[in-house]
Amino acid sequence: MKSFSRSFRIASVLGAAYVLYTPVALAADISATVPSGGGFVIKNSTGTQERFRVQDSGEVRAPGLSGATPNTNLTCFDGPTGRLGPCAGGIGTGATGATGPAGPTGATGAMGSTGVTGATGATGTTGPTGATGPTGAMGSTGATGADSTVPGPQGIQGVQGPVGPTGATSVVPGPQGIQGVQGVQGPVGPTGPTGSATISLTTDTNSAQCPATTVVTTTCSAGNVVSGGCETSIPGDALFEISKRASANSWVCKFSCGQVQTVYAYAYCQ
């Protein structure tokens, strides 16, 4: 088989040379019959690489196409004749396939640097004041709430007021009583010493840090207590708990204060 192939190759080359020297008027097809299972082969100048092959089965091969420069045109063949040529319009373009599933979300890129702050725009002019809307209608009076069954807290005791002035002597005489039975005249006793009608005022003071309770007592240096009273330097800030006669010659005041201040106890002594 190898000897036959070499002889066939030589015959083919001689046939081709003959065609080259044949006048143009004698141009005709060159026909080569390949052996069963063999093929017609064209190789490179060194005879080591196939460039074109036609098999006995009709299969045509061009091994060098895989390494050739890519082109943008498709090549088609005619079915009945096997003629090669450009493809007709629309050949090689199939229907658009279904859209594939979305790929996974890529990693978040690094945050870019902050751009330069733009210049502040000019302040626009103030628009005119809108007209005053009409007064809405007065709503209906709500229902009266139920009376509370819980009594409110007791208010704090008010500050004791000062002793009022002595009332004027009545000008209307009272009814005359029934004349009593005349008693037996008793013996005349010795005349007693003349009593003092002078009333002196004694004042005592003290201070304390609220909310501590403060007790102030004032004592008559001479005589007994006729009356007394209590007072604070900040009116309305203290609660009087006690204001009374403590003994025959003293008056006591008890306070609950809201802040530091001076508290007073007064005793009217006779």
Side-chain angles (χ1 to χ4, degrees), residues 159 229-233 240 253 255 262-266:
V159 179
C230 306
E231 185 180 7
T232 62
S233 61
F240 293 105
C253 297
F255 305 86
T262 304
V263 293
Y264 304 91
Y266 300 95

Side-chain angles (χ1 to χ4, degrees), residues 247-260:
S247 63
N249 65 342
S250 63
W251 190 271
V252 64
C253 297
K254 184 178 180 181
F255 305 86
S256 292
C257 305
Q259 56 185 303
V260 177

Side-chain angles (χ1 to χ4, degrees), residues 16-103:
Y18 176 78
V19 170
L20 293 176
Y21 286 96
T22 303
V24 176
L26 299 178
D29 292 338
I30 298 176
S31 178
T33 302
V34 299
S36 177
F40 179 77
V41 180
I42 298 176
K43 293 186 177 183
N44 62 349
S45 59
T46 61
T48 58
Q49 294 182 352
E50 289 186 0
R51 297 304 188 193
F52 189 79
R53 170 184 286 271
V54 179
Q55 291 292 102
D56 180 33
S57 62
E59 178 182 349
V60 178
R61 300 179 185 178
L65 289 180
S66 60
T69 302
N71 292 303
T72 58
N73 296 326
L74 297 177
T75 300
C76 295
F77 70 93
D78 180 61
T81 63
R83 179 176 57 84
L84 299 179
C87 296
I91 300 299
T93 302
T96 302
T99 302

Side-chain angles (χ1 to χ4, degrees), residues 196-203 218-228 266-270:
S196 174
T198 304
I199 297 177
S200 61
L201 175 64
T202 301
T203 304
T218 182
T219 304
C220 294
S221 58
N224 296 326
V225 173
V226 178
S227 181
Y266 300 95
Y268 295 91
C269 307
Q270 183 179 8

